Amino acid sequence: MPDSTAWGDAFTKGVSLFREKKYKESLKELSQAVRLGADRANLYDLRGNMLLDQFQKPKDALKDAKMVIKLAPQSSQVRVCVSTCEPHLKVTLKGYHLAARCLQKLDRLETASAMVDHALGLTSSNNPKHASKRRNLLSLKEAVEEVLEKRRKDSICHVASLPVELLSSIFDFATRRASDDTDLRSPRLHGVKRDNRAVLSVSQVCRHWRQVAIESPQLWQTLVIGTRRPDKKVQFWAKRSNGKLEEVVITPNAEELAIGDAITAMGKHCHRPPSCLTVLKVVDSSVILGCMESAFKPSRLNFTELRFEVSTFRNRPSLDLYMKYPLHSLTLVGHNVDWATAKLENLSSLNLIRCRHSGTNDLHNPEQILTKLGQAASLEVLTLEATNPLQCGTHGTGSLTVLPRLRYLRLTFVDLIATRRVQKVALPALEILHLSYLLNATHLLTSLDITPLTANSTDSLPLRPLLRKLLLDSCVFQVEDLILALKELGQGLEVLTITRSGVDMDPVVEALGGVGSRTLGTADSAVPCPLVREFDFSYSYHLTGSAIKALVKCRRPPDVSGDTADGSEPPQTVPIGSLVIDGCPKVEAQLLPWLRSIVPRVSCVYETAKQIRKTRR
C-alpha cells in the first residue's frame, strides 16, 4: 500500500487551493498526488468534479469517476453493511453521480440514466440519511429523461405513419414538373410531366420511402435515355412502371446505336408504346420514328405529344412527318414548316422554334398562317420563334382571326400582323403574352382583341380572365402607342415586364404612375394597368429615378405616409409587390433605401460580375 506521507502534502495543498478557488494550481497539486501513488477515493472525486465543472473535460472526469467507484467498497458489500458503512456508501454514490454527469455531458444519455438507476438501487427511500443524495440523483435522472423524451418525439417520422396510398400520392405530386409560366418560357421541355431526379431523390430518403416509391408505378412512367447503358435502364424502368411507360425523353448525349437498342428493349418489356416522346438534338428524327415503328406496330403508335429538336439545320425534317399521329402537343426545333399542308385542328399546344417556312409566299402573306391558326380551335399554347426578324408581309385584308382557347402566346422575331391594313386577331382567353425582338410591337398589341367571351356568345366556352401577364423583351415600339395599348389591354394585368428597350422609358413609367398629362398632352387621369403587382424594367438604360419614384408614390400601400405630387388622393391601384430595375444606371443609389421601405422586393443590380469583367477588358 503506498505511503500516505509521500503524497499527503500534495493532497492537503491541493484541497486548500481548491477552497481558495485557485483551480489551476489545485489541479496541479492533486495530479502530483496521484503520480506519487495516492489511492484515496475522495481525491479522485475532488479532481473529477473540478475537471468537469471548472475545466469542461468530461472524458478526463469520467476516468476519475471510475476510480472513485473502484476504490470505494463493492456495491454488494455496501448493501449488506448499509447500516454500518454509511461513509463508504456516500463515497460510492459520489462516484456514480459524477459518472452520470460526465455521461450526460458526453451525450451518452441512456448510459447516464442506467448509472443513476444503479445508484438509486443502493439507497433506501425510508432512510432519511439518503434523502439528500436521492434528491440529487432523481433531479439528474429527470433532466436526462426529459432530453431523451424530446429526442424520441423529434425522431418520430409522422410522414412514415401515413397510409401507403396517401404517401404515394404525395410522391406523385412532388415529382411532377411545374406547368406554370416558367415552364412555358422553356417550350422545348413544355409538357414533360415527371422530374426523374426528384423521383430518385424521394426513393433515397429512407427504407420506407424507397419501398413506397418502388411500389408506385406512376413515378416511373417517365424514362430519360442517356449514355449509361440505356437498354438496361429501359428494362429497369419498365419493371417498376409495370410495363406502362407514358413518356420517353432522349437526351442529346445518347448515341444513335444505343438509342436503337433502347427502343428495341422498350418493345420487349413494355405492354404499350409511350404516348409522349421528346428527342433533343437528334440528327434525323425519321430514324427515331422508324425504330419506334419497328419495336411496336405502326398502328399502335398513337403519340399525343411530340418534341423534336434537330442537331443540324442542313437536313431539316418537315412538319408533315408528324401529322400522321393524333397529336395534342407538338414542339419542333429546326424543322421545315409548310403552312399550306399543316393540319393543326387537334393541337392544343404548338411550339415552332427556329423553323424555316417553306416557300416565300408564306412569309409575305399572313393570311395563310392566321387561317391555319384559326382552324386550330383547341389551341391553348402557341410559340413561334425565328432566328432573324421576320415580318409576315404588308398586305392584310382586314379579316378577323379568332383563337378562342389560346391562353399563352410567345412570338420571337415573328410579327403575325400585317402593317398596312389592319388585321384583327381575337384572343378572348389570352392570359400570357410574351413578345421578343419585334420591330413593331405596339402595332401588334393594338391589333389584338382580348375581350372575354360572354356566356351568350357561345355555350361551349366559359368566361375567361383578361390578360394578366405581358412581357416585352428587346422590342421596338412608339412610346405613345405603347401607353395607349397598356390602357386598352392592361386592365387585368398583374405582371408587366418591359426589358432591354432602347427608347426613353420615363414617359411610360410616369404614365403608369398616373402622370398622364405630361406624357400624352391630355388631362386623362386614368392609370394604365392598375392591378399590376410586379414590374420589371431591367436594362432600360434611359430610365431615371424620378420616373420610378412617381410610379411607387402612385401605387404605394395605403398605410405608407406620403402625399402625391399635386396633393390629390392617389388613384385606386394595387400596391407594388416586386420591382426589378437591374441594369438601369440612371436610377440613383440614394433612392434605393426609400424604395425598399415601401416595396417588399426591390432588385437593382447595376452590373453583374461578368459585365464588370467585360468592361475592364
Side-chain angles (χ1 to χ4, degrees), residues 72 78 288 307 359 392 428 482 590:
V78 172
I288 303 296
R307 306 172 198 91
C392 294
L482 178 60
Q590 296 81 359

Side-chain angles (χ1 to χ4, degrees), residues 6-26:
W7 52 267
D9 294 340
F11 174 63
T12 303
K13 188 176 181 180
V15 173
S16 300
L17 291 171
F18 176 78
R19 291 173 178 172
E20 296 175 6
K21 297 185 179 181
K22 297 179 179 180
Y23 302 115
K24 190 173 182 180
E25 294 82 354
S26 175

Side-chain angles (χ1 to χ4, degrees), residues 441-462:
T442 51
H443 184 269
L444 187 143
L445 290 175
T446 54
S447 301
L448 294 180
D449 182 8
I450 62 170
T451 305
L453 293 177
T454 61
N456 296 328
S457 61
T458 176
D459 296 333
S460 60
L461 291 174

Side-chain angles (χ1 to χ4, degrees), residues 558-573:
D559 56 339
V560 176
S561 61
D563 298 327
T564 57
D566 55 358
S568 60
E569 292 295 326
Q572 297 298 323
T573 57

Side-chain angles (χ1 to χ4, degrees), residues 4 12 38 94 102 120 137 148 150 159 239 244 271 312 326 350 364 390 407 414 447 498 513 537 573 603 615:
S4 61
T12 303
K94 282 184 178 181
C102 294
L120 289 173
L137 291 171
L148 284 175
K150 185 177 182 301
V159 177
K239 180 180 178 181
K244 298 178 181 179
H271 304 315
T312 176
L350 176 63
H364 296 278
L390 174 64
R407 61 180 182 86
V414 176
S447 301
I498 306 176
F537 304 116
T573 57
S603 176
T615 304

